[in-house]
Amino acid sequence: MLNIAIIGGGPAGVMAAVVAAEKSKQPLNITIFDKGQILKTILYTGNGRCNLSNDIKNFKELASNYLRGEKFLYSIFSQFNAAKTIKWFSDHGLKLYTQKDNRVFPVTDDAHRLRVFFLKLLKKYKIKIKENYQIEKIEKVADKFKIYSSDYVLTFDKVVFSTGGNYKNPAVYNLAKNLGHNITELKPSLFALKLKDPNISTLAGISIESANIDSYFDNKKVYSTQGDFIFTHKGVSGPAIFKTTAACAFLNFNHYNSLILKINFLKNKNFDTFNEEILALIRDNPKKNIINLVRQFVPAGVADYLFKKNKLSPDKKAAELSKKERNTIVSMLAGSEFKAVSPVFDSEIVTAGGVDLKQVNAKTMESKICNGLYFCGEVLDIDGLTGGFNLQACWSTGYVAGVSL
Ligand SMILES: Cc1cc2nc3c(=O)[nH]c(=O)nc-3n(C[C@H](O)[C@H](O)[C@H](O)COP(=O)(O)OP(=O)(O)OC[C@H]3O[C@@H](n4cnc5c(N)ncnc54)[C@H](O)[C@@H]3O)c2cc1C
């Protein structure tokens, strides 16, 4: 019987194990090793609801949501895309639903349910689970793999690496490195940004809809996006910030050389259109305090903060405003600058970088330089945006690896 070791019992490794077992014409002896508990990572996904996919039908459009790995995923998604994933879960008895924004969740809105679902499948296919079992070394001897933990050495015919992303602990990638694989630079992606501003905590909890955010680094515009975000105690977070950090993951911004975020709070209005609008408002409301007029465009807390930051008097009557002061108000709403210095500690969702895709066959997920060794999930140099894309990559690469096994 073919002996298969799956190193890492996250969503990708478990998917590969189940698919291998159910597709194989002959019985397989499959063991999943995990240094902790299997599928523990899934419990924290989607704030406990588990956003497990994104129902985009066209595979190229689906792949465009990955900052790293887009082209590689064309081949993967042409074999197992979001629609096939959703059908796979439903055929195996897990009911899902799709939100208006295409994000897919279990109908129970409960990540535990997904874990239980997979545990049942692992039992059904008699897949062995070795938890609290850290693999420390792998050697290829002739056409077999020797797998070392602190206590045992076990021999397998095929191995799947599904150890996840871990930019904080690059040693995890040594298992792949020691078998000749190149690991691309590792960085966090999808994180909240810490801002260099002692007063930022006064804005904590205020959310902004459809802001335009332009990012600059080393005096060059590096990214533009539109979307929602939220101020936190230390900085900013939310969908538009996650997109920005994914795009800027490999820029080495810091306290001395920050990533400048130019935020337009005015939903696509530029300086000139907003200038016209505020002039008309001032004309119609000359006796009102100017800050009350500004509060029509941004939450009160943001108006107060921006007035203070730009040393404007909130009590000034609209009619008393100088042209310079009006220009300052228009500029601060149409493009306020914030300096981002680092990720907020422990806020990152995925690792960008990983096993070099050039060394992996996209039709099978088998290593091109080590026969019998397969990769799936976040250990690869693949990372997507928020919205279920990272788990989708796990299901798809796991499925392809499982079929090939
Ligand atoms: C807070 C949070 C929320 C998220 N929410 C979402 C979401 O809603 N939707 C989405 O698409 N993505 C989400 N993600 C990302 C998603 O969870 C990951 O992309 C996904 O879990 C990666 O799966 P994986 O199987 O590749 O690796 P992992 O889930 O990281 O699993 C790898 C496993 O390998 C084990 N392991 C590592 N090294 C060894 C070793 N040497 N020996 C034995 N075992 C080992 C680990 O213990 C772990 O269990 C979220 C991530 C976080 C942190």
Side-chain angles (χ1 to χ4, degrees), residues 191-195 232 234-236 342-348:
F191 49 84
L193 279 169
K194 189 171 173 185
L195 298 180
T232 66
K234 295 197 170 139
V236 278
S342 67
V344 169
F345 178 71
D346 243 5
S347 68
E348 58 281 341

Side-chain angles (χ1 to χ4, degrees), residues 7-13 33-39 41 44-46 50-52 133-136 162-165 172 175 348-350 376-379 387-392 394:
I7 319 288
F33 296 92
D34 200 292
K35 66 178 180 187
Q37 258 187 306
I38 70 160
L39 291 171
T41 43
Y44 309 108
T45 56
C50 186
N51 174 198
L52 62 88
Y133 200 114
Q134 177 156 346
I135 302 305
E136 290 175 352
S162 45
T163 43
V172 169
L175 294 178
E348 58 281 341
I349 293 177
V350 288
C376 55
E378 210 186 299
V379 71
F389 299 108
N390 287 296
L391 283 174
Q392 180 61 58
C394 291

Side-chain angles (χ1 to χ4, degrees), residues 2-226:
L2 203 65
N3 275 321
I4 298 173
I6 312 267
I7 319 288
V14 168
M15 184 73 172
V18 169
V19 172
E22 73 179 3
K23 294 276 178 192
S24 178
K25 293 197 179 84
Q26 52 180 339
L28 301 174
N29 184 15
I30 305 177
T31 310
I32 302 178
F33 296 92
D34 200 292
K35 66 178 180 187
Q37 258 187 306
I38 70 160
L39 291 171
K40 200 164 176 199
T41 43
I42 205 120
L43 300 178
Y44 309 108
T45 56
N47 287 323
R49 289 171 64 206
C50 186
N51 174 198
L52 62 88
S53 176
N54 195 298
D55 192 8
I56 295 178
K57 304 280 184 267
N58 180 292
F59 73 87
K60 283 196 178 173
E61 194 190 332
L62 181 62
S64 72
N65 289 283
Y66 295 81
L67 276 289
R68 269 70 50 184
E70 178 179 355
K71 295 272 156 59
F72 184 90
L73 287 169
Y74 285 178
S75 163
I76 303 297
F77 289 152
S78 66
Q79 298 173 70
F80 196 67
N81 60 9
K84 284 187 179 165
T85 305
I86 293 164
K87 185 172 182 313
W88 188 90
F89 278 106
S90 136
D91 289 349
H92 287 76
L94 186 77
K95 289 202 177 83
L96 307 175
Y97 75 98
T98 306
Q99 282 187 174
K100 273 194 194 130
D101 60 1
N102 287 337
R103 291 173 192 235
V104 180
F105 296 85
V107 283
T108 51
D109 270 331
D110 182 4
H112 279 92
R113 180 69 191 84
L114 185 66
R115 185 165 188 266
V116 171
F117 162 86
F118 272 120
L119 290 178
K120 276 190 190 154
L121 286 174
L122 295 175
K123 197 167 173 195
K124 175 177 169 188
Y125 290 116
K126 299 188 173 54
I127 294 167
K128 297 188 190 86
I129 302 170
K130 300 261 185 220
E131 293 188 315
N132 302 313
Y133 200 114
Q134 177 156 346
I135 302 305
E136 290 175 352
K137 198 172 94 177
I138 302 184
E139 267 176 4
K140 184 138 195 223
V141 181
D143 58 350
K144 304 270 183 203
F145 291 90
K146 282 191 161 184
I147 292 190
Y148 295 77
S149 69
S150 54
D151 305 325
Y152 299 99
V153 184
L154 301 166
T155 303
F156 288 87
D157 301 297
K158 289 178 189 262
V159 169
V160 177
F161 269 6
S162 45
T163 43
N166 199 337
Y167 81 96
K168 281 184 184 153
N169 183 10
V172 169
Y173 296 84
N174 285 348
L175 294 178
K177 225 174 176 174
N178 293 342
L179 289 169
H181 298 89
N182 180 36
I183 307 300
T184 64
E185 191 184 0
L186 303 169
K187 287 281 185 185
S189 182
L190 305 178
F191 49 84
L193 279 169
K194 189 171 173 185
L195 298 180
K196 190 176 174 178
D197 183 340
N199 299 319
I200 205 70
S201 61
T202 60
L203 297 176
I206 298 179
S207 38
I208 306 290
E209 275 175 33
S210 302
N212 287 77
I213 304 180
D214 294 332
S215 307
Y216 296 81
F217 187 65
D218 280 345
N219 299 319
K220 273 187 258 137
K221 193 195 255 192
V222 286
Y223 189 64
S224 291
T225 190
Q226 191 190 41

